[in-house]
Amino acid sequence: MKKFIYLFFLLGIVFLTGGCQKEPEEETEEKTRFFVYVVNKEETKVDKYQCSTSLTDTRKQLNFLFGCLREVPEEPEIRQTITDEMGLESFSLSDGRLTLRFGEGYKNLSPTSEVLTRAAIVRTLCQIEEIEYVSFMVDGAALLDAGGTPVGVMTADQFVDNEGQEINAYEKASMTLYFATEDGEHLKAYTKEKYYNSNISMEKLVVEQIIAGPGEGMGNPTVNPDVEIISVAVRDRVCYVNLSEEFLTQIYNVSAEVTIYSLVNSLVELNNINKVQISINGENQMMFRETMDLSTVFERNLEIMD
């Protein structure tokens, strides 16, 4: 990545656009399209709308999106994302990391409001090509979470929503996920942290992350990304995972065991799960790739580990 540093002070800045211009989905003019993430006034969810700009310079795109996030929305159900009271004083960008510096007023946000606001800001700004990570400084020090732990750098995909449902807050989860080795015959364990919609169960979150695939440096994918989750439920410490038929179509060069135990071993890492049963469209009386009987209630497999 091209190395450069921006340092800007936002006090009294005049944004380069006259406000955020929302655009219809069918627009064909060549522009860069962004989603602007916003928080509803009840502080129960993060929503989004689409906008676009012809600006291509990173600094100008940042100013454009800051303008959108500062804008007082016309919609009565949405609140302003970045307020004057939060005291956004400056930002710097170096090697893909954007640092935002807020004043002491940022500390006045309630815990729920703070996490939702942070999610909206990070997800909006990480759409800019040169920005990979965002970090917050508050009153000259690194932002701490509700437990007093430094939040550190954040990426857009750390914030996971459950589409169509309201949330009470984002929570931070640390998951142990199992992805394939390069030869596709074994699994390795990786730790992944996510801020997730508190309406999503941890077991569903784990399944979603296995389907979504590994992040950089986290091994190789194991499950067809087109798989849809029909349901995930836990009863008597058995996790019942019901997936769409795309699960039967393997597009990666991994063994059947690796695919199955990528899910099973990851789910059994959760304290409330000892075993896993996998169904396809509600049916489990079938063979997966002619070798794995899905009527089996699977337990953790350590022999497949690299």
Side-chain angles (χ1 to χ4, degrees):
M1 174 177 291
K2 181 180 178 182
K3 184 174 182 179
F4 58 96
I5 298 176
Y6 295 136
L7 176 60
F8 300 107
F9 291 93
L10 300 177
L11 296 178
I13 192 169
V14 177
F15 287 98
L16 297 172
T17 65
C20 187
Q21 303 298 315
K22 300 179 184 179
E23 300 289 348
E25 292 285 348
E26 63 271 12
E27 182 189 352
T28 57
E29 183 180 352
E30 281 193 25
K31 291 186 177 182
T32 303
R33 297 186 181 186
F34 295 103
F35 284 112
V36 178
Y37 290 85
V38 292
V39 182
N40 69 336
K41 285 193 174 178
E42 290 77 20
E43 296 184 346
T44 56
K45 65 178 179 178
V46 174
D47 208 340
K48 65 183 177 182
Y49 63 85
Q50 183 176 265
C51 66
S52 62
T53 176
S54 58
L55 300 170
T56 57
D57 177 75
T58 296
R59 175 181 61 87
K60 293 179 180 180
Q61 288 182 343
L62 268 169
N63 280 333
F64 172 75
L65 291 179
F66 277 132
C68 295
L69 292 168
R70 284 181 176 270
E71 191 171 51
V72 178
E74 296 179 359
E75 296 85 350
E77 68 276 10
I78 297 172
R79 69 164 174 78
Q80 185 181 9
T81 304
I82 298 179
T83 65
D84 291 341
E85 290 75 17
M86 290 164 59
L88 178 56
E89 298 168 349
S90 66
F91 67 88
S92 59
L93 177 59
S94 176
D95 290 336
R97 177 172 174 171
L98 176 68
T99 301
L100 305 182
R101 296 176 179 84
F102 293 90
E104 190 174 5
Y106 187 91
K107 297 178 181 178
N108 294 328
L109 293 173
S110 69
T112 296
S113 178
E114 190 278 320
V115 180
L116 292 173
T117 299
R118 177 157 37 102
I121 293 172
V122 171
R123 295 179 74 180
T124 298
L125 299 181
C126 277
Q127 295 170 90
I128 296 176
E129 184 176 357
E130 293 285 356
I131 297 175
E132 298 179 41
Y133 313 98
V134 179
S135 62
F136 284 28
M137 302 288 290
V138 176
D139 197 24
L143 175 66
L144 304 179
D145 63 20
T149 303
V151 170
V153 296
M154 296 163 284
T155 60
D157 66 359
Q158 280 183 288
F159 298 91
V160 182
D161 274 339
N162 190 10
E163 293 291 338
Q165 294 192 29
E166 295 187 351
I167 64 176
N168 295 318
Y170 281 96
E171 297 179 6
K172 188 175 183 179
S174 180
M175 297 167 285
T176 299
L177 303 177
Y178 291 80
F179 291 109
T181 54
E182 189 172 354
D183 63 7
E185 296 295 328
H186 299 87
L187 291 169
K188 288 190 71 172
Y190 299 90
T191 300
K192 193 173 189 179
E193 290 189 344
K194 284 280 184 180
Y195 289 92
Y196 72 102
N197 181 325
S198 60
N199 276 345
I200 303 176
S201 67
M202 279 298 299
E203 51 270 17
K204 184 177 181 182
L205 181 64
V206 167
V207 176
E208 286 180 343
Q209 295 306 304
I210 293 297
I211 294 172
E216 185 176 354
M218 292 183 63
N220 295 284
T222 58
V223 175
N224 186 337
D226 293 331
V227 171
E228 296 182 4
I229 300 173
I230 298 173
S231 64
V232 182
V234 178
R235 292 191 298 274
D236 298 325
R237 305 185 71 82
V238 178
C239 185
Y240 296 89
V241 181
N242 188 12
L243 303 173
S244 66
E245 61 188 12
E246 286 80 6
F247 183 76
L248 299 174
T249 303
Q250 180 55 264
I251 65 173
Y252 300 117
N253 186 27
V254 297
S255 70
E257 280 192 328
V258 161
T259 297
I260 293 294
Y261 286 106
S262 174
L263 282 166
V264 173
N265 286 7
S266 298
L267 285 165
V268 172
E269 288 287 341
L270 300 178
N271 293 331
N272 62 325
I273 296 173
N274 287 337
K275 300 178 182 179
V276 177
Q277 184 166 67
I278 299 171
S279 300
I280 307 301
N281 291 329
E283 298 291 331
N284 57 33
Q285 300 300 314
M286 65 181 71
M287 300 295 290
F288 176 66
R289 297 174 62 183
E290 301 182 353
T291 61
M292 306 289 290
D293 186 354
L294 292 187
S295 66
T296 303
V297 179
F298 296 100
E299 299 183 47
R300 187 197 306 268
N301 183 348
L302 297 179
E303 293 181 0
I304 201 171
M305 300 300 298
D306 182 46

